Amino acid sequence: MKEIFPGIFRKGNELYTVNAVPGKRVYGEKLTDNYREWIPDRSKLASAILCGLKEMPVKPGAKIVYLGASTGTTVSHVSDIIGLDGIVYAVEFAERVMRKLMDVAKDRKNIVPILADARKPEDYSWVEECDVVYVDVADPQETELSLRNAEAFLKKGGYMLIAVKSQSIDVTKDPKLVFKEESEKLKDYKILQIVDIDKYQKDHALVVAVNQ
Amino acid sequence: MKAAMAKCPFGIFIFDEQGNILASRLYPKDPQKALELFGEKTPKELLDQLKGYELKTKSSEADSMLRVRIREIGLEIFGSHENMNEFLSEFGMAFTRSRMKKAVGRDNLIIQASNALDDINKSINLFVTRLREWYGLHYPELKLSDNELIKSVCELGARENFPKFRSSTGTGLVPEDEEILMKYAALIERMHEDKKGLEKYVKESVRETMPNFSSLIDPLLAARMLAMAGSTERLARMTASTIQLLGAEKALFRHLKQKGKPPKFGLIFYSPYVQNAPEGKRGKMARFLASKLMLAARIDYYSKRDESSRLKKELEEEIGRVLA
């Protein structure tokens, strides 16, 4: 097993993080020693790593605003990586999945669950300034809401990671065109990479941009 | 002089225009208590310290001034990132928990009941098909509707007990065969009874929570539309065109991908207003009905007045004009 980014390990085509809650599974993943498998089919961030992500801003001690936290699959791995000195503000709008997310957060003291609409950052304005804004919401206005959240919470030099689902932006357009148009909206940011993760998540890409 | 206020899980902070902290009040280190104070109005003694200032209580500038200092403030209070993060995590839990309680309403119960009704209908169909096939081995000549079949097998049992029975090419039944068949039919009969009770409950609850909406459309259909929308609030926020196509999502997206014709109606088709209209006018009817349903859903959710007779009258007038 090789550490490819701080706190992230790779063995062949499998990814692992160090389980912050030894012996406990979050979503049926494999546990080996104190490592927890990070399944790319279940997590866009994991897919991006396997599809050639060059820079990984989610690292030990990082402060992260995570929009669209869902049941906490990816959030749990983010929690593993950042450790207890880091913090992840996990924003999710749907109550059904929030219950599951709260169960995950109960064992992990670096997850702050927030039931709120990511389109309205003023609704959770008490969140601190962060190093990363990670966005995974299936909304036609995803890029716009990412910008609004980044403006509020992202520090200078901080990273924005946006998992874009071309189907949610416009079902009629070609995915490649959608990714291009969406990244053009980020003109005040420097786009470092657009990782095509179609291999694991159909018609998805992860846009990595930095706040200059 | 101007001042602006911002709140965070650690307390209330008031800034001057240069970003200096003029006054502050820290919350206790208990996340639950902190959340309670977080939701309350600004205490008077804090405001008294700011005589002579023009105070803005909601300010995005102050929010961002505070945001960059939260770490620093928290570290001073808690001593380490770890302890500070633990407090924030628990604050988030309490914040979320207090919002969750409010979010579940009566409409969620109705949605579950309506879905249960769909399930039970599907199950009855499945069971009747099995009964027909099973009993058909014994009496293949019997031609009865589903309900009659259930009732007859349940009450009469073997074919010899049917008043009209003459002869049959089917196989005979020993008493054990007959008994188990009758029991199975009785089970379906009971499901039928339970279904009626469930239907009555759904109808009555929908009429209570959505009096206007359910006056324009069959209450059971109203319940299914509510289930598709997710809540009375989401239904109230829908445009008429979305309501018109509730239940036709597959056809709509097929159309949007430039394959196929656009759908004219979803669940709304089952309304007699639409279904009984002449073929060329159905789309128009669906449009009228949907726009009235949209109004009704908003009245039901926001003002809760009963305007059903007015809405119904207006709708029928419009429809009458088109059909005339």
Side-chain angles (χ1 to χ4, degrees):
Chain A
M1 210 173 289
K2 200 181 141 208
E3 189 166 12
I4 50 170
F5 291 115
I8 303 166
F9 301 82
R10 180 169 186 166
K11 195 169 93 185
N13 250 347
E14 287 174 356
L15 287 179
Y16 294 87
T17 57
V18 179
N19 198 350
V21 193
K24 201 161 171 179
R25 282 187 181 82
V26 173
Y27 58 102
E29 69 281 25
K30 203 163 66 184
L31 302 179
T32 35
D33 302 328
N34 43 356
Y35 294 103
R36 206 155 63 84
E37 189 193 4
W38 192 1
I39 305 175
D41 300 310
R42 301 287 302 274
S43 167
K44 279 151 221 159
L45 190 53
S47 314
I49 295 172
L50 290 176
C51 292
L53 180 74
K54 285 184 201 128
E55 228 174 303
M56 181 58 172
V58 177
K59 54 189 172 201
K63 291 172 281 181
I64 293 157
V65 175
Y66 192 120
L67 309 175
S70 188
T71 54
T73 305
T74 305
V75 173
S76 70
H77 288 286
V78 169
S79 156
D80 281 351
I81 298 164
I82 61 179
L84 290 172
D85 282 349
I87 194 163
V88 50
Y89 294 90
V91 179
E92 173 56 50
F93 193 31
E95 235 192 289
R96 266 286 275 290
V97 292
M98 184 44 101
R99 278 172 219 288
K100 183 88 202 297
L101 179 61
M102 297 216 6
D103 285 341
V104 178
K106 224 172 270 161
D107 301 329
R108 295 164 173 271
K109 292 299 172 198
N110 55 6
I111 300 177
V112 186
I114 300 174
L115 184 70
D117 186 345
R119 288 172 298 190
K120 298 181 192 137
E122 60 279 8
D123 207 24
Y124 43 94
S125 61
W126 50 270
V127 167
E128 69 183 302
E129 193 183 55
C130 284
D131 308 311
V132 181
V133 170
Y134 183 94
V135 192
D136 181 7
V137 294
D139 189 292
Q141 303 286 307
E142 186 179 20
T143 314
E144 288 78 3
L145 77 86
S146 306
L147 285 168
R148 234 175 303 138
N149 278 280
E151 198 189 325
F153 305 115
L154 191 61
K155 72 167 188 194
K156 268 239 164 328
Y159 289 79
M160 186 147 68
L161 300 176
I162 312 175
V164 186
K165 181 185 178 190
S166 96
Q167 300 269 310
S168 309
I169 309 282
D170 192 331
V171 287
T172 64
K173 272 188 204 148
D174 177 54
K176 292 250 155 20
L177 186 67
V178 172
F179 300 143
K180 195 169 156 258
E181 283 179 2
E182 292 309 303
S183 35
E184 272 163 14
K185 292 182 190 163
L186 304 172
K187 51 183 178 301
D188 296 335
Y189 293 76
K190 189 181 165 204
I191 295 181
L192 299 178
Q193 199 183 357
I194 299 174
V195 191
D196 183 357
I197 56 172
D198 189 70
K199 187 175 162 199
Y200 298 101
Q201 317 262 345
K202 197 176 178 309
D203 291 338
H204 281 72
L206 188 81
V207 178
V208 186
V210 68
N211 180 8
Q212 290 180 312
Chain B
M1 277 178 295
K2 285 182 184 164
M5 189 181 94
K7 289 180 186 178
C8 75
F10 304 130
I12 306 174
F13 298 84
I14 294 167
F15 297 90
D16 67 10
E17 281 171 287
Q18 284 73 47
N20 302 310
I21 296 177
L22 290 173
S24 66
R25 188 184 169 211
L26 294 179
Y27 298 145
K29 283 196 199 176
D30 175 335
Q32 193 63 47
K33 287 200 184 104
L35 181 71
E36 280 160 30
L37 292 170
F38 182 82
E40 280 176 12
K41 278 193 185 147
T42 322
K44 212 175 151 290
E45 71 265 22
L46 192 62
L47 296 176
D48 287 344
Q49 289 178 36
L50 293 158
K51 288 222 165 84
Y53 282 95
E54 187 191 321
L55 181 69
K56 251 179 105 177
T57 49
K58 268 215 164 78
S59 148
S60 56
E61 289 85 15
D63 279 342
S64 21
M65 284 180 205
L66 180 55
R67 198 166 285 139
V68 297
R69 296 192 196 177
I70 288 182
R71 231 346 96 174
E72 185 193 320
I73 295 167
L75 282 177
E76 214 167 283
I77 301 170
F78 290 96
S80 74
H81 288 289
E82 196 174 326
N83 292 342
M84 171 180 169
N85 292 348
E86 183 169 348
F87 172 86
L88 286 170
S89 171
E90 278 164 16
F91 182 88
M93 289 283 225
F95 178 83
T96 296
R97 229 177 281 123
S98 74
R99 289 184 161 202
M100 298 257 267
K101 277 185 211 133
K102 289 174 211 145
V104 178
R106 180 97 200 276
D107 49 347
N108 300 78
L109 295 175
I110 298 175
I111 290 171
Q112 292 299 332
S114 168
N115 289 342
L117 194 57
D118 281 350
D119 293 347
I120 213 167
N121 272 327
K122 273 185 213 143
S123 312
I124 290 175
N125 260 326
L126 190 70
F127 281 37
V128 172
T129 316
R130 170 67 54 223
L131 180 69
R132 202 173 272 287
E133 211 171 307
W134 193 349
Y135 198 71
L137 298 175
H138 169 57
Y139 191 3
E141 292 81 7
L142 189 68
K143 298 273 178 293
L144 289 176
S145 74
D146 285 355
N147 285 348
E148 286 165 341
L149 178 75
I150 299 164
K151 249 198 150 69
S152 311
V153 178
C154 190
E155 282 165 11
L156 302 171
R159 63 194 175 199
E160 287 78 13
N161 303 330
F162 281 71
K164 283 184 185 155
F165 175 72
R166 293 286 168 269
S167 67
S168 171
T169 54
T171 176
L173 297 180
V174 299
E176 291 83 24
D177 299 337
E178 185 184 10
E179 198 196 326
I180 207 81
L181 255 165
M182 285 172 81
K183 269 194 183 156
Y184 188 65
L187 171 73
I188 308 176
E189 174 96 339
R190 244 207 62 208
M191 281 171 73
H192 219 84
E193 288 307 310
D194 291 350
K195 185 187 112 174
K196 281 186 208 153
L198 194 54
E199 251 174 22
K200 191 163 163 257
Y201 164 81
V202 172
K203 273 187 189 164
E204 279 166 9
S205 335
V206 166
R207 283 209 187 98
E208 230 170 86
T209 29
M210 309 163 66
N212 297 293
F213 198 89
S214 58
S215 74
L216 300 174
I217 202 161
D218 174 56
L220 291 179
L221 195 50
R224 286 177 69 192
M225 291 174 89
L226 172 65
M228 297 224 81
S231 70
T232 41
E233 188 189 356
R234 289 179 69 173
L235 191 63
R237 287 174 176 221
M238 282 183 171
T239 57
S241 53
T242 310
I243 291 177
Q244 188 182 339
L245 295 184
L246 269 180
E249 286 75 11
K250 217 173 143 186
L252 175 67
F253 287 114
R254 193 181 335 120
H255 162 64
L256 288 176
K257 287 185 169 169
Q258 288 151 345
K259 290 170 226 153
K261 280 189 272 184
K264 297 191 199 71
F265 16 67
L267 284 175
I268 211 173
F269 180 76
Y270 297 105
S271 157
Y273 288 128
V274 181
Q275 209 166 15
N276 297 344
E279 254 197 77
K281 298 256 161 69
R282 283 178 181 166
K284 206 167 229 176
M285 295 300 144
R287 208 151 30 80
F288 286 160
L289 180 56
S291 63
K292 279 287 177 277
L293 283 172
M294 179 267 288
L295 289 175
R298 291 178 189 186
I299 300 172
D300 284 334
Y301 181 72
Y302 293 107
S303 82
K304 299 186 172 63
R305 279 191 312 262
D306 186 359
E307 304 234 13
S308 54
S309 49
R310 178 177 68 85
L311 290 168
K312 208 171 167 149
K313 202 175 128 233
E314 284 175 7
L315 176 68
E316 279 171 2
E317 273 172 15
E318 268 176 77
I319 288 179
R321 222 174 300 137
V322 172
L323 291 184

